[in-house]
Amino acid sequence: MAGITDRACDAGTSEAPKLLSAAFDWLARAQAAPRHAQREWTERGIALLPLGTRFNSVHLPAPLVHLAAGTSDLHVVTRMFAELLDGPVIHNRPQNGYYALVACTPWRP
């Protein structure tokens, strides 16, 4: 995930647990019952979050991201996102895709 504090969240740093906790809390608030999302993460390692209220997502196919980064190395890609985007990015490992989270803006005709 990138952009939590305008830099990559590196699991090798002492700040990583605090940053990850803050990120999970922010994401969980997308649900009407944030504690439910937190419980799903704890028990199952995954939680479904609604789009369209707190944030939306933009799918970034891994081959396109890797081409732009010049590598498929996750650490390099994470740093690239941290430098280029002003917000979090989720890497979906099973499907090998990336999702940039963007703030919702009201639609105006």
Side-chain angles (χ1 to χ4, degrees):
M1 184 173 302
I4 297 170
T5 61
D6 295 323
R7 59 192 161 90
C9 182
D10 184 352
T13 69
S14 62
E15 286 188 335
K18 286 189 292 186
L19 293 175
L20 289 174
S21 177
F24 290 146
D25 289 345
W26 183 85
L27 289 167
R29 282 186 242 128
Q31 277 196 7
R35 289 186 184 172
H36 178 73
Q38 292 166 339
R39 191 169 42 255
E40 286 180 327
W41 272 315
T42 301
E43 294 172 2
R44 298 185 186 123
I46 191 169
L48 295 178
L49 302 173
L51 296 175
T53 54
R54 188 172 181 85
F55 53 82
N56 280 314
S57 70
V58 177
H59 178 245
L60 305 165
L64 181 63
V65 169
H66 298 161
L67 182 64
T71 182
S72 62
D73 182 284
L74 188 57
H75 295 290
V76 174
V77 172
T78 300
R79 281 193 296 275
M80 179 190 77
F81 279 136
E83 291 174 12
L84 297 177
L85 300 181
D86 186 26
V89 176
I90 295 172
H91 178 228
N92 182 331
R93 290 176 197 238
Q95 295 177 357
N96 196 27
Y98 298 87
Y99 295 86
L101 301 183
V102 296
C104 288
T105 55
W107 181 78
R108 296 183 185 156

